[in-house]
Amino acid sequence: MTDAHQIIKEAKQLGDEKIAEHSGRFFKSGPGEYAEGDKFIGIRVPVVRALAKRHMAASLKTISVLLESEWHEIRLLALVMLSEQFKKADPDFQKVIFDFYLSRTHLINNWDLVDSSAHHIVGGYLVNKKRDILYSLAESNSLWERRIAMMATFPFIRLNQFDDTIKLAETLLDDKEDLIHKMCGWMLRELGKRDLPLLRTFLDKHASVMPRTMLRYAIEKMTAEERQHYMAMK
């Protein structure tokens, strides 16, 4: 039995049918929903993270097998392991992980999978590099690649580098997916915690045409008066 199959066997022993049933509904795996057909073992995130910690030394080959799993939590496990390895890797191996991640975005196919990994790996790698790839991702037909692009700006925001968040939010203003509206609003809200005047400038320009969900997320930490002001622009 390979390392990957042993890890999958261990994970399945931790599963719970009731949790799996709830997860299937929560992550919209029903017919016609954005994660149609996804399968769940029934493992809570803290349990996934504890399992990842026990297998943190897994090879990239093992992680690749896990990421190709039909089970949602196994893919999450792979991404948690990959993210933690990235944080401790030297620059050469970080590049390997970055390329590995971007070559498998079709497997990173739900919002929690993106949100647990994109800022660590894509954003982490690009902090001191050109970021053209984010704009290519933002133009992708894949909902998940577009979400990766925006999530990747989180470490930039923490470094008070806001240009890419603003430009990508403008690029995605007309996106049809609610999950993109939520992500853009979230990153704009985080930007506003550090530079409220810049957020106001963005909202003054775009609030009237922003998707309502994006706007609500973006203004969440503002005063009641400001929230009312911007919502009235819709």
Side-chain angles (χ1 to χ4, degrees), residues 5 16 39 49 68 75 136 141:
H5 289 99
D16 181 287
K39 297 173 66 175
R49 291 192 175 277
E68 292 169 2
R75 299 197 303 282
S136 297
N141 290 328

Side-chain angles (χ1 to χ4, degrees), residues 215-228:
L215 178 57
R216 276 207 215 96
Y217 272 59
I219 64 178
E220 189 175 26
K221 298 300 182 180
M222 289 180 151
T223 65
E225 290 77 14
E226 283 194 299
R227 293 198 303 272
Q228 291 171 4

Side-chain angles (χ1 to χ4, degrees), residues 28-77:
K28 307 297 184 184
S29 64
E33 295 182 309
Y34 57 71
E36 180 176 356
D38 205 355
K39 297 173 66 175
F40 296 83
I41 298 172
I43 312 176
R44 301 289 190 197
V45 172
V47 179
V48 172
R49 291 192 175 277
L51 183 59
K53 190 173 183 180
R54 292 200 293 275
H55 296 284
M56 200 55 67
S59 68
L60 208 56
K61 182 178 179 180
T62 294
I63 291 174
S64 181
V65 174
L66 298 178
L67 191 56
E68 292 169 2
S69 173
E70 63 182 331
W71 299 101
H72 183 100
E73 296 96 335
I74 300 299
R75 299 197 303 282
L76 176 61
L77 173 66

Side-chain angles (χ1 to χ4, degrees), residues 84-103:
E84 292 303 315
Q85 287 193 11
F86 180 90
K87 294 175 189 177
K88 299 174 182 177
D90 61 37
D92 288 341
F93 193 49
Q94 285 188 337
K95 175 64 163 61
V96 170
I97 292 174
F98 173 79
D99 290 340
F100 173 93
Y101 186 93
L102 289 182
S103 71

